[in-house]
Amino acid sequence: MSRNDPPSAGWNQSGDQLLCDVTQSWSAVGGGVGTYLRHKRRHILDQTPHRHLLIVPGARDEVIEDGRTITATIASPKVPGSPNYRLLLRSGQVRRLLRHYRPDLIECQDAYNLPWAAIAHRRAHPQTALVAAYMTDFPTVYVERPFAKYAGEWVASAAARLCYWYCGKLYSKFDLTYALSENGGAAKLRNLGLDPVDVVPLGVELGEFSPDRRDAALRRGLGVADDAPLLIYAGRLDGEKRAQTVVNAFRKLPASLGAHLVLLGDGPLREQFVALCNPRLHAPGYVRGRAELARWLASADLYVSGMADETFGISIIEAQASGLPVVGVAAGAMLDRVDTDIGRLGPVDDSKAMAANIRALWSGDMAAMRQRTLAHARQFGWDKSMETLFGRIYPQAMARAAARTTQAGGRLALAER
């Protein structure tokens, strides 16, 4: 079955079905996967007759049934150095929940132990459709780049190839796999021989993020001159997100530019940045509430990120929806999100090039670039994301599951003759 096949058997558009998400990548205070899952649940409740089961790590074992939603948390330890995330290792408990609720479709957003629990459940219940979302390019992020620092390029490359081989084997067991962008995952998965691999861009709340949220009082409070740029970054302040590259690029800017940098978020590097005691570098911590984030973004002039392995880049689109051109790196999903009409991309981990790109953008026609940036961001609404997911991805996965079950039944009937 290809992505152009009509969605027919297995997907009941009018009746209710139980759709399940099971993931490690859950945070109660934000995060790309958490944002996606909250929007999906809202869409299910508002736009479909279906029910939603969410299985995530938490502080304790708990199941909350509320109308058409079921939220199951499984007691899990915190991930070291990442206070908002937990490590769900109790696959047996996941399988017990799946046996109890018997979902019609299971989607997994990571590639570790939990997909295997879903696969094991499908063996007992072959009519269950399995969908994989490639939310993190873990062979590169968590294997190749760290290994390159400590074990050398050859070992790192070999380890990454092994992990991509694992991804190919794992996702071949799913009815359908999708990535969030071409360069952020889809192209790599297709190179592994996976078929089908679709693309479902995530979305942003276009009504929440807007240049209209700009707050002159916020800028004055930071001490930013009217003719000086305010740079901003939003996300975890850690090595994976390469916040250090952003800070290094900022420190390379000439003092005469008068630039200020705001680092929104928390993480192991925040104290190090605060300790620089630079009056033009501001690290207010994690910002709670979308309205407050939108105010900060709209009050800035340029969004800056050194993250090389974005699979989608929600923060990039939120900044663009706020009217901010982007200075980033030529890698991952940034290649899909930023071109020379709306920003600049440079080499990974090259703070000198990043500083040069900041200066080049600021000296250009910022008003025209802001307008082009806004036009680009308008294509990434959540309605479009959910339309793709529920109108194409899920129907195709359910149809493949139905076809597989029918074929298995036919083989069984022949064997019994």
Side-chain angles (χ1 to χ4, degrees):
M1 176 176 290
S2 74
R3 60 184 290 173
N4 297 316
D5 290 335
S8 53
W11 180 248
N12 186 347
Q13 294 282 12
S14 57
D16 85 86
Q17 294 181 311
L18 181 59
L19 310 177
C20 173
D21 286 284
V22 55
T23 186
Q24 295 274 6
S25 305
W26 174 258
S27 168
V29 295
V33 174
T35 299
Y36 159 72
L37 292 174
R38 292 180 185 93
H39 279 281
K40 181 196 287 189
R41 171 164 283 189
R42 187 185 309 164
H43 178 86
I44 289 171
L45 293 178
D46 293 346
Q47 304 294 331
T48 82
H50 306 306
R51 294 168 292 136
H52 188 224
L53 167 62
L54 180 62
I55 303 176
V56 295
R60 61 184 178 276
D61 286 349
E62 183 177 48
V63 177
I64 299 175
E65 298 190 17
D66 182 13
R68 290 190 287 133
T69 67
I70 307 162
T71 303
T73 58
I74 298 176
S76 306
K78 289 187 175 182
V79 175
S82 185
N84 295 323
Y85 290 89
R86 295 175 180 271
L87 193 59
L88 205 175
L89 299 175
R90 297 166 58 201
S91 299
Q93 180 64 10
V94 173
R95 292 179 62 179
R96 282 189 284 273
L97 286 165
L98 294 175
R99 282 198 302 269
H100 178 75
Y101 287 105
R102 296 281 297 274
D104 298 285
L105 180 146
I106 304 170
E107 180 179 320
C108 299
Q109 289 91 24
D110 53 66
Y112 315 121
N113 59 309
L114 300 183
W116 296 104
I119 291 167
H121 176 80
R122 205 262 305 277
R123 291 195 192 101
H125 306 283
Q127 73 278 13
T128 307
L130 295 186
V131 173
Y134 196 70
M135 296 281 189
T136 302
D137 189 20
F138 87 92
T140 297
V141 178
Y142 299 131
V143 179
E144 184 171 16
R145 297 198 192 280
F147 276 42
K149 291 182 180 179
Y150 303 107
E153 294 290 343
W154 187 90
V155 172
S157 178
R161 287 197 301 272
L162 179 62
C163 289
Y164 279 119
W165 173 86
Y166 163 81
C167 285
K169 292 296 183 182
L170 171 64
Y171 292 135
S172 68
K173 300 180 183 298
F174 281 71
D175 294 300
L176 196 146
T177 300
Y178 73 86
L180 308 181
S181 65
E182 282 294 328
N183 288 289
K188 292 181 179 181
L189 294 176
R190 293 193 191 104
N191 286 338
L192 297 173
L194 291 170
D195 180 42
V197 176
D198 214 316
V199 174
V200 182
L202 298 185
V204 299
E205 290 287 0
L206 296 176
E208 291 182 355
F209 295 91
S210 166
D212 295 340
R213 308 277 184 177
R214 194 173 181 88
D215 186 344
L218 186 152
R219 292 174 62 91
R220 288 195 300 270
L222 297 175
V224 184
D226 292 341
D227 60 348
L230 176 57
L231 317 177
I232 193 166
Y233 161 84
R236 292 197 311 275
L237 302 180
D238 61 12
E240 176 191 337
K241 295 292 187 180
R242 287 175 163 73
Q244 186 69 62
T245 302
V246 174
V247 173
N248 290 344
F250 168 71
R251 298 177 74 186
K252 286 180 169 63
L253 296 174
S256 59
L257 191 63
H260 285 241
L261 171 64
V262 170
L263 301 169
L264 292 184
D266 207 348
L269 296 181
R270 180 169 175 263
E271 291 186 5
Q272 173 183 323
F273 298 148
V274 172
L276 294 173
C277 297
N278 187 327
R280 293 186 291 113
L281 192 158
H282 316 275
Y286 181 78
V287 174
R288 295 187 179 275
R290 311 295 286 174
E292 185 66 7
L293 173 59
R295 185 173 75 100
W296 277 98
L297 288 173
S299 300
D301 299 297
L302 293 172
Y303 189 83
V304 187
S305 174
M307 176 58 171
D309 305 300
E310 294 278 12
T311 51
F312 176 72
I314 283 182
S315 62
I316 301 297
I317 304 299
E318 289 173 342
Q320 291 171 331
S322 303
L324 303 189
V326 173
V327 174
V329 295
M334 280 208 196
L335 292 166
D336 300 283
R337 303 288 168 255
V338 181
D339 60 31
T340 54
D341 286 336
I342 56 176
R344 293 289 187 277
L345 300 179
V348 176
D349 292 331
D350 190 335
S351 58
K352 183 178 180 180
M354 181 172 284
N357 282 334
I358 291 170
R359 295 182 66 183
L361 281 190
W362 184 245
S363 64
D365 189 344
M366 285 290 294
M369 187 166 285
R370 276 178 172 270
Q371 291 305 311
R372 293 193 296 268
T373 297
L374 286 169
H376 168 80
R378 291 191 186 105
Q379 66 183 297
F380 293 106
W382 277 110
D383 287 345
K384 184 176 180 180
S385 299
M386 293 298 108
E387 179 184 336
T388 303
L389 188 70
F390 286 85
R392 187 171 77 218
I393 303 298
Y394 284 0
Q396 288 187 13
M398 295 291 279
R400 289 173 67 90
R404 181 183 61 250
T405 305
T406 300
Q407 292 170 0
R411 288 194 297 269
L412 179 60
L414 289 173
E416 291 176 346
R417 288 181 182 176

